[in-house]
Amino acid sequence: MPDRDEHYMSYALQLARQGIGLVSPNPMVGAVLVRENRIVGEGYHRYAERHHAEVCALEQAREQARGATLYVNLEPCSHFGRTPPCVDQIIGAGVVRVVAAMQDPNPLVAGSGFQKLQTAGIALTRGICEPEALRLNEAYCEFIRTRKPFVVLKAAMTLDGKIAESGGRSRWITGEPAREKVQQLRFEADAVLTGIGTVLADDPLLTDRTQRPRRRCLARVVLDTHLRLPLDSSLACSSSEGDIILFCSEEPEHDRKRRVEESGVEVVPVAAPGGRIPFEVVLRELGRRDLTSLLIEAGSEVNFEALRSGCVNKLFCFVAPKMLGGRSPFPVVGGEGFLHLEQAVPLTFASIERVGNDLLIEAYVIQKT
């Protein structure tokens, strides 16, 4: 039974992944109905189509759902939201057993779905493939817990930790396969953030160029304390969709602010002590807009401020088989640095893989207590 449960739960997770880019701020959920060791219904959640994964599977199975086992990677909902409670429909369909990977951290559910199923006499198995399920919906879990986006810091560097030449040019440190992987990271994110220094040096577009369907366009966020964004920059010239959010200091020059806003950029003035836009303020504002995941693609200074603020959850570091050497002013993390090893940002490696000729290191930040 455990091997069979893992097999069908792995398939439910595979279905759930089809919701990448299509469900935020909701979680990715896949559901599989199995009767007599045969799949009779399956589905995954797509925000625009409203139905939850469990309901899609039930509708496909129809009468064959009676006596079946439901495999789902997240606890079925037990409250009225955009849709009626899934547990009521599961109970009504005659499902006899539910296998769930993890409990929903949403306080509106948080175990009450499991309780209703058990009260109705449905057998319940929990925790199958739980680590994989938690990782799949790590952005959703972070957002539900903090109302702020899950933050991923991406960096491309030489083997000796440089992100640009001494003159500032950074194209291209890594190869084409690595750059394609970055596009995948953008596709999976709700927003991408950079600093004005990177805008002035590289004139990036910061769009999702995968051409895969997504529920809402990628929000592009710029930290620009003194409102220096060039009106002829790639960002300003591509802001017709209103997807660019620029954070600046509280009292920007009025005419300058008006011209930037006329280009289609949304300007958000905030308090900037010491000339720095606080990450906490930025994340709170993005969370208010239901943006659940943020990808940072910036330079040394912004990388340091993000790490110092404690807001980074995960890093993706692309390492090219090149060494620049010298006293380049462009390390992957700049700023004042951390003076002592005890102050260093602690990490745990999640994976290392080869992407073309480059290496991709994935690591999680160990949150200090």
Side-chain angles (χ1 to χ4, degrees), residues 25 143 146-149 281-292:
F143 179 71
T146 67
R147 306 310 297 181
K148 295 183 291 186
V281 174
V282 172
L283 296 183
R284 289 290 180 193
E285 176 60 24
L286 298 183
R288 187 185 67 80
R289 299 168 187 245
D290 283 342
L291 298 171
T292 65

Side-chain angles (χ1 to χ4, degrees), residues 182-306:
V182 171
Q183 291 301 316
Q184 175 64 26
L185 295 178
R186 289 184 188 177
F187 171 69
E188 296 177 7
D190 286 345
V192 59
L193 178 148
T194 197
I196 188 60
T198 297
V199 174
L200 296 175
D202 296 339
D203 192 27
L205 195 55
L206 296 180
T207 51
D208 166 15
R209 295 190 284 277
T210 62
Q211 298 185 331
R212 295 174 62 183
R214 55 187 301 150
R215 191 178 80 81
R216 50 186 177 180
C217 64
L218 178 69
R220 295 176 286 172
V221 182
V222 182
L223 305 185
D224 182 8
T225 304
H226 303 296
L227 204 54
R228 294 185 290 158
L229 179 72
L231 297 179
D232 61 351
S233 64
S234 295
L235 281 171
C237 292
S238 64
S239 59
S240 58
E241 296 184 16
D243 60 341
I244 300 179
I245 308 166
L246 184 149
F247 289 87
C248 66
S249 62
E250 277 185 304
E251 299 179 356
E253 193 270 316
H254 178 73
D255 288 341
R256 177 64 181 169
K257 179 175 180 289
R258 176 182 56 79
R259 290 195 298 273
V260 171
E261 288 178 329
E262 286 176 349
S263 73
V265 174
E266 179 182 357
V267 178
V268 182
V270 299
R276 297 186 177 97
I277 306 295
F279 266 95
E280 177 68 19
V281 174
V282 172
L283 296 183
R284 289 290 180 193
E285 176 60 24
L286 298 183
R288 187 185 67 80
R289 299 168 187 245
D290 283 342
L291 298 171
T292 65
S293 55
L294 173 68
L295 177 65
I296 296 177
E297 292 190 54
S300 301
E301 302 304 306
V302 171
N303 289 347
F304 174 69
E305 291 301 327

